[in-house]
Amino acid sequence: MTLLDRRLVLAPMAGGPGTVELAAATTRAGAFAFLAGAYLPPDRLRDDIVLLRSAVGGAAFGVNLFAPSPYEPGSAARVDDYAARLRPLAEKAGVPLGEPIHDDDSFDAKIEVLLAERPAVVSFAFAWPPSDVVDRLRSAGMEVWVTLNEASETAWADELGVDAIVAQGWEAGGHRGGPVDTGHHQAPTRMLLQSVRQLTSLPVVAAGGVSDPAHLASLLDAGAHAVACGTAFLRADEAGTAEVHRHELTHRSDTVVTRAFTGRSARALSTSWTEVFGEAAPAAYPQVHHLTAPLRRHGRATGQPDLVHLWAGTGHRSARQAPAAEIVSELLSRT
């Protein structure tokens, strides 16, 4: 198991916060880092893997991909209705909404990149990877991990023949990574970890809401093989987090799980967008993601927090601005 000597995992943070520099710094400090492969063109993913490998001197790291979400034909009308609701907001900002297309984020091409570059681990979120993809990656010497939010999904992971499970609890920031996005309240991290551990002998990485050394140590004591942290690194010097996002992490308290930004449930800081449009957003990823992307980019560029998806876990107020190595050292101080 890759993580026997790495108790802390840098969670993949797609869309900006996760950088090669952050992955390199956390690796050198003793964590196991993931590059976020989602939203990157395949060539950029290859370049990032090469850069990280060079920066860490051959130390092990992982790459995360979003497995393709199935298209539901009936979602088109719901997305159109949501677009109509958002249009006044976009017009006020002077930004056109995006085209709500359904795509697979160049999934097959990225798999080929991974087969060529061979990181130590490939993890998947959003859906189960095809079994033949799992077989090809493992045959090439890579471990395969999958993300789940429900203990009942453990049987699917066992059937796929993967090497580890990332058990992502309700407190986690960003997208729900499991294969079924019900939109319903789910188990907290510790409870999910304990339930999954009862159902499988696979190693389990606990994720969600971990903000301090005591919390991390308690999950390890509860049976986690390692603990993944993302929000704790959003304010790290090496993170690519937008300035407006960094600021709001220390100026807002409440978080909410919402489909308002991408059509997939995700935990973010509460804003006027989540309050006004949260109930109207359909379950339609990635169509809603593409629809709202121009507006969210505008919000980041102009520093308007109510136009930005401010992903954050429940422990976000503990995230501090510091070099990533210091954050790793602090989180591991009780292990």
Side-chain angles (χ1 to χ4, degrees):
M1 175 63 188
T2 303
L3 287 178
L4 283 177
D5 60 346
R6 301 284 172 124
R7 309 300 273 167
L8 173 62
V9 173
L10 171 67
M13 294 184 286
T19 63
V20 171
E21 294 76 15
L22 179 61
T26 53
T27 299
R28 289 193 292 263
F32 185 88
F34 272 92
L35 283 175
Y39 308 136
L40 298 181
D43 288 345
R44 168 65 186 278
L45 176 59
R46 178 182 289 106
D47 291 345
D48 282 1
I49 292 172
V50 172
L51 285 172
L52 180 56
R53 180 170 285 129
S54 175
V56 299
F61 60 88
V63 174
N64 175 262
L65 296 183
F66 294 166
S69 301
Y71 176 67
E72 297 182 10
S75 65
R78 296 191 295 273
V79 173
D80 287 345
D81 180 66
Y82 189 51
R85 291 171 179 260
L86 288 175
R87 197 158 286 118
L89 181 66
E91 290 174 350
K92 182 179 179 180
V95 179
L97 292 172
E99 184 69 24
I101 61 172
H102 186 279
D103 63 13
D104 66 358
D105 198 29
S106 303
F107 182 77
D108 290 342
K110 291 180 183 181
I111 293 298
E112 294 305 318
V113 169
L114 297 176
L115 288 167
E117 297 299 332
R118 302 191 182 191
V121 178
V122 178
S123 70
F124 292 95
F126 286 24
W128 296 121
S131 58
D132 66 306
V133 168
V134 173
D135 292 343
R136 292 176 69 200
L137 292 170
R138 297 187 76 230
S139 294
M142 289 166 273
E143 289 189 6
V144 175
W145 300 0
V146 291
T147 309
L148 55 77
N149 302 121
E150 301 278 1
S152 60
E153 296 162 350
T154 303
W156 296 356
D158 278 326
E159 185 177 345
L160 261 181
V162 300
D163 298 283
I165 288 171
V166 179
Q168 183 196 42
W170 186 239
E171 305 96 320
H175 285 105
R176 307 291 90 194
V180 180
D181 180 21
T182 65
H184 300 152
H185 190 283
Q186 294 167 321
T189 303
R190 187 182 183 89
M191 183 181 298
L192 179 63
L193 166 66
Q194 293 171 334
S195 297
V196 171
R197 288 276 291 158
Q198 291 174 359
L199 295 172
T200 184
S201 60
L202 288 172
V204 182
V205 179
V210 180
S211 58
D212 58 55
H215 192 182
L216 187 147
S218 72
L219 290 172
L220 293 174
D221 290 342
H225 288 73
V227 175
C229 296
T231 300
F233 290 95
L234 282 174
R235 299 182 67 220
D237 294 349
E238 299 87 347
T241 312
E243 287 304 316
V244 64
H245 194 172
R246 289 176 181 268
H247 179 270
E248 297 304 310
L249 286 166
T250 61
H251 287 75
R252 296 183 188 244
S253 298
D254 295 338
T255 64
V256 62
V257 175
T258 179
R259 290 187 172 122
F261 300 110
T262 68
R264 185 176 180 91
S265 299
R267 185 175 294 279
L269 297 176
S270 298
T271 63
S272 61
W273 188 332
T274 66
E275 292 169 4
V276 174
F277 301 108
E279 294 298 322
Y285 180 90
Q287 299 98 302
V288 173
H289 161 73
H290 291 301
L291 177 74
T292 66
L295 192 53
R296 291 181 284 126
R297 282 196 297 269
H298 176 74
R300 287 195 300 272
T302 57
Q304 298 182 67
D306 288 306
L307 296 181
V308 183
H309 57 286
L310 303 170
W311 300 148
T314 56
H316 67 90
R317 293 300 292 269
S318 296
R320 65 188 187 93
Q321 185 170 339
E326 288 187 17
I327 299 172
V328 170
S329 179
E330 179 181 4
L331 287 169
L332 291 174
S333 62
R334 295 198 183 184
T335 63

